């Protein structure tokens, strides 16, 4: 049986998501650390982004697609419901997380603490402050979504939760977002419960290089 190889930095929220998917499925994987646009990534992702996957002759990019491949290619617990509505709801939340939430929560807010800093190395306060209203609105949406069953879709841990969980890991570490989450009981309980799963514990992002 070919080895599953996940390529990208373990600090990446998207790399973490595909590692959670493999761990939940009970599939061991090799993690090959690679920086953005490195030859390992550029050989598979057209923009040189992470993560990418190698599995025998299969190569793949885009986190949601990689998770779906892992889910369908291996035995083990289903990471997405089999019924039409449940499967479509996973797509709905995955799309919302990746196209509406991630740009504000990660690209604008979180990266203004880690990468898009001011010339003196301090957090980019104007960008952080500009992101806060949108961040709070999205977190409220997630709080209401998980209030009923403790998951984004149905009553099991799906790829939708797996996409959100590593982003929440970073948001819990930063002051404004941590305070917002603390005011949202259903989302706080969701995070405490799902971040304790062995699949996430084993894939938890290490500190950013040089920090
Ligand atoms: N839509 C892509 C996004 C991948 C992505 O943006 N990954 C980030 C790391 S979390 C990255 O490679 N950033 C470096 C860059 O954009 O140059 C996916 O779902 O996999």
């Amino acid at each position: 049986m070919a080895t599953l190889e996940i390529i990208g930095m373990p600090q990446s929220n998207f790399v973490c998501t595909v590692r959670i998917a493999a761990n939940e499925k009970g599939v061991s994987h090799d993690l090959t650390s690679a920086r953005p646009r490195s030859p390992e990534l550029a050989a598979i992702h057209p923009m040189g982004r992470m993560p990418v996957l190698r599995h025998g002759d299969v190569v793949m990019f885009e986190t949601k697609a990689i998770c779906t491949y892992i889910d369908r290619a291996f035995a083990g617990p289903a990471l997405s419901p089999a019924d039409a509505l449940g499967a479509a709801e996973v797509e709905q939340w995955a799309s919302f997380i990746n196209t509406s939430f991630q740009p504000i929560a990660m690209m604008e807010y979180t990266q203004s603490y880690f990468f898009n800093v001011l010339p003196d190395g301090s957090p980019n306060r104007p960008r952080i402050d500009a992101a806060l209203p949108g961040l709070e609105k999205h977190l409220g949406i997630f709080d209401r979504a998980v209030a009923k069953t403790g998951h984004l879709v149905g009553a099991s841990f799906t790829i939708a939760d797996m996409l959100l969980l590593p982003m929440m890991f970073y948001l819990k570490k930063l002051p404004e977002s941590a305070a917002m989450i603390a005011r949202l009981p259903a989302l706080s309980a969701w995070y405490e419960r799902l971040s304790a799963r062995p699949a996430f514990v084993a894939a938890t992002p290490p500190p950013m290089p040089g920090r």
Side-chain angles (χ1 to χ4, degrees):
M1 187 71 171
T3 302
L4 195 70
E5 182 186 12
I6 294 167
I7 306 173
M9 294 171 66
Q11 291 85 2
S12 154
N13 58 280
F14 288 123
V15 170
C16 181
T17 292
V18 300
R19 298 185 73 203
I20 296 170
N23 292 343
E24 285 288 338
K25 216 67 188 168
V27 180
S28 65
H29 62 271
D30 290 344
L31 177 70
T32 303
S33 193
R35 300 189 72 82
R37 289 169 294 286
S38 60
E40 295 91 334
L41 292 171
I44 299 174
H45 194 297
M47 304 302 287
R49 295 195 176 120
M50 64 189 77
V52 301
L53 172 108
R54 278 188 191 278
H55 182 224
D57 293 337
V58 173
V59 295
M60 186 156 299
F61 61 93
E62 288 296 311
T63 303
K64 172 61 176 60
I66 293 171
C67 290
T68 298
Y69 174 76
I70 292 171
D71 191 20
R72 302 279 181 88
F74 297 95
L79 308 184
S80 184
D83 66 288
L85 178 58
E89 285 178 343
V90 169
E91 295 299 328
Q92 166 190 278
W93 284 112
S95 184
F96 182 72
I97 291 164
N98 285 344
T99 65
S100 187
F101 183 59
Q102 192 267 356
I104 294 174
M106 304 308 291
M107 305 298 281
E108 291 301 318
Y109 177 70
T110 303
Q111 294 216 2
S112 295
Y113 277 100
F114 292 113
F115 300 116
N116 297 328
V117 293
L118 295 175
D120 66 0
S122 63
N124 192 324
R125 208 62 245 172
R127 278 183 80 153
I128 291 167
D129 289 344
L132 295 180
L135 187 59
E136 188 151 36
K137 182 170 185 176
H138 282 81
L139 292 173
I141 291 167
F142 294 129
D143 184 63
R144 289 189 290 281
V146 301
K148 199 167 157 199
T149 68
H151 297 88
L152 283 173
V153 179
S156 65
F157 187 41
T158 69
I159 295 167
D161 297 304
M162 292 172 205
L163 280 162
L164 185 57
L165 192 57
M167 297 184 197
M168 292 289 293
F169 167 81
Y170 282 111
L171 295 177
K172 286 272 291 181
K173 292 187 175 305
L174 297 173
E176 300 86 356
S177 48
M180 289 177 194
I181 295 163
R183 292 194 290 271
L184 298 169
L187 190 59
S188 294
W190 172 94
Y191 183 79
E192 294 312 317
R193 198 164 27 82
L194 296 188
S195 64
R197 289 180 80 90
F200 176 74
V201 173
T204 300
M208 295 284 179
R211 279 167 207 276

